[in-house]
Amino acid sequence: MNYSEMVVLIGNKCTTKCNICCFDSTIESNELINDEYISNYLYSLKDSKEIQWVHFSGGEPFLYYNRLKKYIKICSENNKNTTVITNGFWANDFLDVLNTLTELKICGLKRIGVSFDEFHNEYISCENIKNILIVAKRLNLYPSVQSVVLKNSKIGDLIDLLGDSISNVPINFMSCDKVGRADNIVLEKDLIKRNMEQMPVCRKGHTFSVKYDGTVWPCCCPVVYSTSLSVGSIYYDIKTVADALKAINDNKKLKILRNKGFNYYIKLFKDYGCLSMPEMITSSCELCKLFFDISNENFYEKNLYNNLNVSEVKLNAL
Ligand code: SF4
Ligand code: SF4
């Protein structure tokens, strides 16, 4: 196990209502992480050699601006790098953007990401995104753009909209997963899919996350939050970053997943004949949703934990 990064989802409120939102966030959403618990948890970073980067997200994290500044400062005081990802709703005035990003840089912010695609662009002007990209480059905040794409997305149009501001800015295109609002709105036929056999392993084992309800998860993929893979909560059993890493390390299902890949679970469910396997999937994360659905817990109790000596799984491969 090589975790070096952590995501903190501060709250689920958002100024927009994108169709592809994995959290179903709206301006009415009101889940917000407890300030005292998350602050204490972040202070424990001082004892963590493993974690080097902390990413803040939401919902829309700039709706919690004072908290955002406070959390970035805590991380920075403990020698950790920080990033924030935003939809850019606050960035319509160039000078305001300059002031805001200068303030965050003084707090210790190292990088900024913006979410922008055809779905975000229904609510947020590309001028806001241009302001952030231009200012962030000037301040050496190394901006990047995250875009969710469907089969028929016109990537060239997006780049045209951002014009010169996108030069030297990396764009990460992510295929849409059927989760949150996307699960209700996006049609199956519009999703980008690949053959299941091309994705037998989880490739994102370096970042774990703390959700706005205090729960701790082994990755930051939105799909994971609809599974049984939570390893605890900062309100109960996970007081420190070290506790979180230990809980992830000790989790039986994850141990098998990280060592044996999805093929182990594909065979297990095929042997017991209790799940029909799709041929095409959007990502390996869809397999997590399939195998680690909460409703499968009884199955694991009966057929996995009793029949497998988990201590035999090689820990050194984690
Ligand atoms: S995808 Fe991001 S910007 Fe859009 S509604 Fe969800 S949290 Fe807000
Ligand atoms: S495959 Fe599962 S554990 Fe890996 S990133 Fe996706 S949801 Fe997370």
Side-chain angles (χ1 to χ4, degrees):
M1 193 178 63
N2 296 308
Y3 282 97
S4 56
E5 303 183 21
M6 177 172 80
V7 169
V8 176
L9 304 171
I10 300 175
N12 65 348
K13 190 182 280 298
C14 189
T15 52
T16 63
K17 203 176 172 184
C18 311
N19 280 351
I20 44 77
C21 184
C22 54
F23 291 124
D24 208 358
S25 286
T26 69
I27 197 65
E28 282 86 33
S29 304
N30 56 13
E31 285 192 76
L32 178 59
I33 203 154
N34 179 284
D35 184 40
E36 189 183 336
Y37 277 87
I38 191 63
S39 298
N40 288 336
Y41 177 81
L42 289 173
Y43 279 120
S44 79
L45 279 165
K46 73 175 184 308
D47 299 319
S48 173
K49 288 201 180 75
E50 296 94 335
I51 302 304
Q52 297 303 321
W53 284 89
V54 182
H55 310 276
F56 294 101
S57 185
E60 170 48 51
F62 277 71
L63 286 173
Y64 316 102
Y65 186 66
N66 286 336
R67 280 190 182 218
L68 180 64
K69 281 195 296 183
K70 174 181 170 183
Y71 302 155
I72 290 171
K73 268 190 202 160
I74 295 175
C75 294
S76 178
E77 283 160 12
N78 289 289
N79 299 319
K80 305 302 176 191
N81 301 305
T82 49
T83 66
V84 63
I85 177 108
T86 178
N87 68 15
F89 80 94
W90 48 275
N92 58 337
D93 182 90
F94 189 85
L95 278 181
D96 281 351
V97 175
L98 187 59
N99 289 336
T100 302
L101 292 189
T102 302
E103 187 170 48
L104 290 179
K105 189 172 166 92
I106 290 167
C107 291
L109 187 73
K110 289 285 188 290
R111 292 172 186 253
I112 186 165
V114 289
S115 301
F116 191 65
D117 45 44
E118 66 204 78
F119 310 101
H120 290 80
N121 193 212
E122 275 186 44
Y123 301 91
I124 306 286
S125 162
C126 61
E127 297 306 318
N128 288 30
I129 308 302
K130 285 181 189 173
N131 286 341
I132 295 175
L133 297 181
I134 292 166
V135 172
K137 279 192 279 189
R138 281 194 198 164
L139 295 176
N140 288 332
L141 282 171
Y142 306 99
S144 60
V145 177
Q146 332 293 335
S147 292
V148 173
V149 289
L150 295 174
K151 246 185 217 165
N152 55 3
S153 292
K154 295 190 174 73
I155 290 169
D157 290 357
L158 188 74
I159 293 169
D160 285 349
L161 277 175
L162 296 176
D164 289 346
S165 71
I166 198 68
S167 66
N168 297 320
V169 175
I171 311 181
N172 303 316
F173 293 106
M174 300 168 293
S175 56
C176 180
D177 279 308
K178 283 270 277 175
V179 66
R181 190 149 52 238
D183 196 15
N184 296 327
I185 294 185
V186 176
L187 299 176
E188 199 69 32
K189 71 173 179 53
D190 293 331
L191 296 170
I192 298 168
K193 296 208 175 202
R194 280 154 283 185
N195 195 301
M196 187 170 83
E197 283 160 15
Q198 291 170 350
M199 285 176 275
V201 291
C202 163
R203 297 184 194 281
K204 299 177 196 160
H206 60 283
T207 308
F208 74 97
S209 61
V210 182
K211 198 180 170 199
Y212 39 73
D213 62 1
T215 50
V216 179
W217 300 83
C219 67
C220 58
C221 172
V223 171
V224 82
Y225 306 118
S226 62
T227 71
S228 60
L229 290 176
S230 170
V231 297
S233 165
I234 62 165
Y235 300 158
Y236 303 109
D237 47 346
I238 308 271
K239 299 294 177 208
T240 65
V241 171
D243 291 343
L245 292 175
K246 181 172 183 326
I248 293 169
N249 203 11
D250 289 347
N251 184 283
K252 293 175 187 173
K253 281 179 280 191
L254 288 166
K255 206 174 272 191
I256 297 168
L257 177 62
R258 296 276 155 79
N259 283 278
K260 295 175 179 271
F262 282 109
N263 284 338
Y264 178 88
Y265 288 100
I266 292 170
K267 182 169 181 325
L268 183 78
F269 276 82
K270 272 189 183 158
D271 286 352
Y272 287 88
C274 46
L275 264 188
S276 59
M277 302 292 158
E279 267 180 35
M280 306 291 281
I281 52 176
T282 50
S283 67
S284 50
C285 304
E286 190 178 331
L287 293 178
C288 266
K289 196 176 171 193
L290 187 71
F291 292 128
F292 305 123
D293 189 277
I294 311 275
S295 63
N296 292 336
E297 279 308 281
N298 285 342
F299 171 80
Y300 285 119
E301 289 298 332
K302 278 194 211 140
N303 303 312
L304 179 65
Y305 304 146
N306 292 341
N307 298 342
L308 178 85
N309 182 354
V310 177
S311 63
E312 286 174 4
V313 177
K314 282 186 200 154
L315 283 172
N316 59 8
L318 287 171

